[in-house]
Amino acid sequence: MAVDDDPIEQYFRPRPAGAEGPGGPVGPVADDTGGWDAVAVDGEGAPKVTVTPPRAAARRARGVVSARAAVRRRRLVVITAAASTLVLAGSGAGWAFQEYFKGKIKTLDLAVDGAGPQGAMNILLAGVDRREGMSQKDIKRLHLGKEAGARSDTMMLMHVSRDHDKVTIVSLPRDTLVTIPPHKNAEGQRVGEAQGKLTWAYAYGGPQLMKDTVESATGMRIDHYVEVDFAGFLKVVDAVGGVQVCTEKPIDDRATGLKLAAGTHHVDGATALAFARVRHGLGEDIGRMQRQQEFLSSLLMTALEKLKDPRKGPGVLSALLSSVTVDKELKKNLNAYADQFKDVSLGNVQFVKVPLANPAGTAQLGGITQSVVLWDKEAAARMFDRIDDDEPVVEPAPTPTSTERPLTVKPSDISVIVRNGDGTPGLARKATDGLLKAGFRASWVIGVVQRENTKVTVIRYGPSRADSARTLAASIPGAKLQKASSLGTGIEIIVGSGWTRPKPVTVAGETSGTPKVETRTASENLCKP
């Protein structure tokens, strides 16, 4: 069966204008000028909130925070809200500091680690192809189809740094080939692990299975979960008064009905949804991720500006929060989280693309040839490790001096024994994992080496292994070399408390095979004048 005949893929594609859906023909979305009709949710427009400034005396009595402090607290709301806002094809989420707004957030039962408001955290942002709360007229006009149930359409993994001053957002291609963990199906039957597309996990097992699948694929623990649907996306974009998007090429997409000339445009929720969902002819899945990141950056800027306005801010905040569903632990600690994000700005929000081996690969899934996105596993693993450890996503290039001799032994030709030289439980195993990811052949042994200086990592090597030891020293920052005749032809590493993950090295006569990790800040993603 061909890729286009895939019975599962039919759920994830926008329907072309005039195409027959399960419920009949789907009408057009845009008119001949590319304009869109306004979209009402449940037949009603976005609610308007009138804010009456409290009297000075009342303000003092209640201890209300200053306007500047309120804006700082709302910054967290916008970043996560906008991040998850885009998540569907973009949609909103976020947390607030007032109980009134906090009460608007819906929750779901999900087994997550639930990191507290202190320290780093990882949040899975999921855009879900679900039509609840939308009229049939809107569903037809937006080419959303009539299939029952819910499916994940966009996924992003957001890492918040330990000091809560930086945010890294990784777009996860929905067609990524992954191993879906064991789970129970809709009938309660146990299903073993199997290969599939990342986007299938939600359809097979809902948020829990998608969270488990992303953890397995990235190696990062998911602390919290935020979910948005189509209706939430429309509500958020319209609440901020629309956003600015730009395209280098004209868009005339039959599948979504979107028509945009090349250049910059100010669009409403319906047009923004189509812009973020366009796939064919514009870089397919990978091109769509780039547009989503650019759109999200624009939404962040627009929403932050609106939240500074005491009259418009509450209405925007209300729309953001009522558009999302989060895990219960996240909602419980929203007040505390809000205080942690006062230093985040557009320049501190970084978007990252997963290093790919093949963006247009194929795989046999269920006896059918499927189009899939294949990650560069080693490069992706290093990238996720660096993100999780609050290290720069792009590894700094080595700067050898003229007196350095070139390395001559490849990591793959070096076998090393790893020993714990500090006493910290699991330290030798952690170091071994890092060495394996850097290309070395490593194994660890049980026990602790007794020594005086437990901080420095020492590379001990036999007399004939000096060149191999130099490669190890170039890879392990701060490590010291120590010749040991008793080791013969062996090499061992005594791991100290100052251990740092090994970095890639280049051997003489080779070029670095490490794929470039693409990053852009939210500021860099904005349309240029």
Side-chain angles (χ1 to χ4, degrees), residues 181-198:
H183 59 280
K184 289 184 178 180
N185 61 20
E187 289 73 38
Q189 300 171 328
R190 191 71 176 171
V191 179
E193 72 173 25
Q195 282 196 316
K197 297 184 182 184
L198 179 58

Side-chain angles (χ1 to χ4, degrees), residues 40-44 130-136 138-139 229 231-232:
V41 178
D42 280 338
E44 298 180 2
R130 182 172 49 227
R131 298 149 181 80
E132 294 176 7
M134 300 185 70
S135 68
Q136 288 301 313
D138 290 335
I139 291 173
D229 57 19

Side-chain angles (χ1 to χ4, degrees), residues 516-529:
K516 180 181 179 181
V517 177
E518 296 183 45
T519 66
R520 290 173 66 90
T521 65
S523 298
E524 293 170 334
N525 272 333
L526 297 176
C527 296
K528 301 301 184 290

